[in-house]
Amino acid sequence: MTLHAPVVAGPDDYPTRRPGERWLKRKDPTVWGQWSPDAPLTHDQTRAFEQHGYLVLDDVFSPSEIASLQGESSRMRSGDAELDPNNIITEPGSKEVRTVFRLDQQNALFDRLARDERIAGRAGFLLNDDVYLHQSRLNYKPGFTGKEFYWHSDFETWHAEDGMPRMRAVSASVLLTDNDALNGALMLMPGSHKTFVSCAGATPDNNHATSLQKQEVGVPSQQTLSRMAEAFGIECAPGKAGTVILFDCNTLHGSNGNITPFPRSNAFFVYNAWSNRVGAPFAAKAPRPDFLSSRSPSCPIKVERGLLA
Amino acid sequence: MTLHAPVVAGPDDYPTRRPGERWLKRKDPTVWGQWSPDAPLTHDQTRAFEQHGYLVLDDVFSPSEIASLQGESSRMRSGDAELDPNNIITEPGSKEVRTVFRLDQQNALFDRLARDERIAGRAGFLLNDDVYLHQSRLNYKPGFTGKEFYWHSDFETWHAEDGMPRMRAVSASVLLTDNDALNGALMLMPGSHKTFVSCAGATPDNNHATSLQKQEVGVPSQQTLSRMAEAFGIECAPGKAGTVILFDCNTLHGSNGNITPFPRSNAFFVYNAWSNRVGAPFAAKAPRPDFLSSRSPSCPIKVERGLLA
């Protein structure tokens, strides 16, 4: 693959944060790559991703790899790792660490995970480009008190507030704990990625300061969510630790709270196509900070194999 | 069955709301009745209830019966039914009706449901006594914003705050909507009913005024819940509308919140043995109000069949 020139601003194919809500047809492919027998996903997997906007891959990482990642995860959440407080989000009403951002920069093992061929290579295939991390984070939903994440399309925010031009990004969630419907596993609306829900309402200044805990702007209306859920259904993506969930940047997703004693944790990497690097926000005065939206990556990720061995 | 004399107060077999948490062995049977071929549950069902502390019965009520009940339910929640505001609980932070108490007294159809042989008859068999309604309510967990119910044993509260002497009560939840793990179905810890968790902490005055929205006292510690969940596991009790879930008064249960568009609704009846009528609270200054704890039932329920036809 070659490095592409930065995107030139053109007409906005995905207007949002306007007075009224609208449904717009997606104007980008979901799978940018051309499948061939040496692709890192099977033909069926590729087609499923295209149709549903997500894919669950079991047993991608081995139990010993997961044990190492869990160890580093615990260390980071324990406070021993001297994390930048600006890169941490706590649970509403408590000091429990819910999210650690810039995961690849804060931890060497997770940096190697981000570059692992098993995820970064598949992202590169789906996007047919070199990739870089638009965002990376460790999510931890504690037992007993884990709060919900409401329904949203990531792309809506990345486009409006970060200036991501096109739907050419894919997220990879690496499960570090067993996830099931009872402890707040990811829920998705399969097929929703083919419609862009242009959301009503202007973006408040510094919206990210509150939207990370509870998103108020940039989410579809209840009426839209009901219609989408009726049309597409809601699928839960459970899996054992070591599972990887790949999902398109525009697939509607969310997760319920968790009163079980079993925590839910994952490492989350957003791979954006190098040719799709962010520019000025499409619907906000100023871009979100760098820990949410990598604004000046120096080069694409160097994808490697055997990094965790 | 014969009417038993009221319970004479004796030593408290289930002390709770003391300074420290303790685990005590259950001192009552789970199934009080003697199974015979004409019992309203099969031998396997009876044994499962005894072992797990709950039982899911599919297709107890027909689609047309459920449609009638749903119609009455909607009418009650719409505000057209002139319900006593004291008998209504709203969703925290909103005016959406979450619970309608004294369901049997507020609505003729639900009164007939409460006396239906298919639930009241089975409760009478399990308790081997005439039964009356200790509590009845319509639960409605709306889509998008439904909040969680934290883990608890009903009996702990009924004993401490209502003065229920023995574990001789059974709850019946009649599902009025399809319930699954994603929209906040009931979760139970099978086998937990054989241990009484004596909870730490004194009962505040008027505890029920806040505990119905968020219970703070009378719930097991996180350590206990973790140990119980490890030992017993957590089962979800999903089902289509028309399903009935019977569960013992001491089975630990709870439910997660619900961000899906699909509401969850059920009619909930607590059948107490006539011989187990409530007296003075075991761990509170004053009993909870009558809508939470029927304190002077005039006679047992007259169980009938064909009431909903």
Side-chain angles (χ1 to χ4, degrees):
Chain A
M1 298 178 205
T2 54
L3 299 193
H4 298 253
V7 177
V8 177
D12 183 0
D13 274 341
Y14 301 111
T16 188
R17 317 283 172 107
R18 305 288 171 94
E21 184 178 78
R22 282 191 299 160
W23 292 27
L24 304 174
K25 196 167 165 3
R26 181 187 180 113
K27 299 210 170 88
D28 293 298
T30 305
V31 176
W32 294 70
Q34 183 70 38
W35 186 83
S36 68
D38 62 348
L41 294 172
T42 68
H43 191 260
D44 282 354
Q45 287 171 333
T46 305
R47 195 171 48 187
F49 185 86
E50 200 282 326
Q51 284 181 346
H52 304 140
Y54 76 99
L55 188 63
V56 179
L57 300 166
D58 295 327
D59 300 321
V60 174
F61 294 97
S62 71
S64 72
E65 288 174 320
I66 291 298
S68 304
L69 293 165
Q70 282 168 336
E72 287 299 284
S73 166
S74 298
R75 201 171 64 80
M76 276 190 282
R77 288 186 294 100
S78 73
D80 291 352
E82 297 192 6
L83 303 173
D84 181 346
N86 293 319
N87 292 342
I88 290 172
I89 305 291
T90 54
E91 195 73 11
S94 98
K95 294 201 166 183
E96 284 190 271
V97 173
R98 170 173 168 162
T99 311
V100 179
F101 283 98
R102 281 179 165 149
L103 184 55
D104 58 312
Q105 292 175 38
Q106 303 217 37
N107 186 283
L109 186 65
F110 280 100
D111 173 58
R112 294 203 295 278
L113 175 64
R115 293 187 289 116
D116 192 289
E117 185 186 42
R118 290 168 285 181
I119 44 177
R122 284 163 170 154
F125 160 65
L126 289 170
L127 303 177
N128 194 30
D129 199 352
D130 287 325
V131 297
Y132 72 99
L133 286 174
H134 175 67
Q135 189 187 102
S136 70
R137 59 182 200 255
L138 179 70
N139 289 315
Y140 183 76
K141 184 177 282 198
F144 300 113
T145 59
K147 294 292 181 293
E148 71 280 2
F149 283 92
Y150 196 66
W151 298 103
H152 62 285
S153 149
D154 289 325
F155 179 77
E156 197 280 341
T157 294
W158 299 340
H159 185 70
E161 302 189 30
D162 298 341
M164 183 182 285
R166 308 225 62 88
M167 293 186 186
R168 196 170 182 175
V170 63
S171 297
S173 174
V174 180
L175 304 194
L176 302 180
T177 54
D178 295 351
N179 281 199
D180 66 28
L182 300 186
N183 72 339
L186 184 67
M187 297 188 289
L188 310 105
M189 297 195 196
S192 60
H193 62 299
K194 299 204 174 173
T195 300
F196 178 70
V197 180
S198 172
C199 294
T203 311
D205 291 349
N206 263 324
N207 185 41
H208 71 275
T210 54
S211 71
L212 293 174
Q213 294 209 345
K214 190 170 190 319
Q215 192 167 0
E216 307 271 5
V217 177
V219 293
S221 67
Q222 291 191 353
Q223 189 187 25
T224 279
L225 291 169
S226 295
R227 285 171 61 193
M228 291 245 175
E230 290 294 338
F232 299 125
I234 294 173
E235 295 291 330
C236 167
K240 297 282 175 196
T243 298
V244 170
I245 303 164
L246 296 173
F247 62 102
D248 177 78
C249 57
N250 190 44
T251 305
L252 284 173
H253 63 284
S255 62
N256 278 321
N258 174 24
I259 69 161
T260 80
F262 309 119
R264 180 175 88 88
S265 181
N266 59 62
F268 191 80
F269 302 105
V270 179
Y271 297 97
N272 191 21
W274 184 254
S275 60
N276 196 35
R277 295 194 302 290
V278 301
F282 286 82
K285 277 189 199 158
R288 299 192 302 170
D290 217 73
F291 74 93
L292 293 173
S293 161
S294 174
R295 302 200 63 79
S296 47
S298 56
C299 61
I301 276 182
K302 186 165 159 41
V303 180
E304 296 188 52
R305 70 168 65 186
L307 286 169
L308 299 186
Chain B
M1 299 176 201
T2 55
L3 299 191
H4 298 253
V7 177
V8 176
D12 184 0
D13 274 342
Y14 300 111
T16 189
R17 316 283 172 108
R18 304 288 171 93
E21 183 179 77
R22 283 191 298 159
W23 292 27
L24 304 173
K25 196 167 164 5
R26 180 187 181 114
K27 299 212 170 87
D28 292 298
T30 305
V31 175
W32 293 70
Q34 183 71 38
W35 187 83
S36 68
D38 62 349
L41 294 172
T42 68
H43 192 259
D44 282 354
Q45 288 172 333
T46 306
R47 193 170 50 188
F49 186 87
E50 200 282 325
Q51 284 182 347
H52 304 140
Y54 76 98
L55 188 63
V56 180
L57 301 166
D58 295 326
D59 300 321
V60 175
F61 294 97
S62 72
S64 72
E65 288 174 320
I66 291 298
S68 304
L69 292 164
Q70 282 169 336
E72 287 299 283
S73 165
S74 299
R75 202 171 63 81
M76 276 191 282
R77 289 186 293 99
S78 73
D80 290 350
E82 297 193 3
L83 303 171
D84 180 346
N86 293 318
N87 292 342
I88 290 172
I89 306 291
T90 54
E91 195 72 11
S94 98
K95 294 201 164 180
E96 284 190 272
V97 173
R98 170 171 168 162
T99 312
V100 179
F101 285 99
R102 281 177 165 150
L103 184 55
D104 58 312
Q105 292 174 39
Q106 304 217 36
N107 186 283
L109 185 66
F110 280 101
D111 173 58
R112 294 203 295 277
L113 175 63
R115 294 187 288 117
D116 191 290
E117 186 186 42
R118 289 168 286 180
I119 45 178
R122 284 162 170 154
F125 160 66
L126 290 170
L127 303 176
N128 194 30
D129 199 352
D130 287 323
V131 297
Y132 72 100
L133 285 175
H134 175 68
Q135 189 186 104
S136 70
R137 59 183 201 255
L138 178 71
N139 289 316
Y140 183 76
K141 184 177 282 197
F144 301 112
T145 59
K147 294 293 180 296
E148 72 278 4
F149 284 91
Y150 196 65
W151 299 103
H152 62 286
S153 149
D154 289 325
F155 179 77
E156 198 279 342
T157 294
W158 299 340
H159 185 70
E161 302 189 30
D162 298 341
M164 183 182 287
R166 307 225 63 87
M167 293 185 186
R168 196 170 183 176
V170 62
S171 297
S173 174
V174 179
L175 305 193
L176 303 180
T177 54
D178 295 352
N179 281 198
D180 65 28
L182 301 186
N183 72 339
L186 185 68
M187 297 189 289
L188 309 105
M189 297 196 196
S192 60
H193 63 298
K194 298 204 174 175
T195 300
F196 179 70
V197 180
S198 171
C199 294
T203 310
D205 291 349
N206 263 325
N207 186 42
H208 70 275
T210 54
S211 71
L212 293 175
Q213 294 209 344
K214 189 171 191 318
Q215 191 168 0
E216 306 271 4
V217 177
V219 293
S221 67
Q222 290 191 353
Q223 190 186 25
T224 279
L225 291 170
S226 296
R227 285 172 62 193
M228 291 245 175
E230 290 293 339
F232 299 123
I234 294 173
E235 294 292 331
C236 168
K240 297 283 176 197
T243 298
V244 171
I245 303 164
L246 296 173
F247 62 102
D248 177 79
C249 58
N250 190 46
T251 306
L252 284 172
H253 63 285
S255 62
N256 278 320
N258 174 24
I259 68 160
T260 78
F262 308 119
R264 182 174 87 88
S265 180
N266 60 61
F268 192 79
F269 301 105
V270 179
Y271 297 97
N272 191 21
W274 185 254
S275 60
N276 196 35
R277 295 194 303 289
V278 300
F282 286 83
K285 278 188 200 159
R288 299 193 303 171
D290 218 72
F291 74 92
L292 293 173
S293 161
S294 173
R295 302 200 64 79
S296 48
S298 56
C299 61
I301 275 182
K302 185 164 159 45
V303 179
E304 296 187 52
R305 72 167 64 187
L307 286 169
L308 298 186

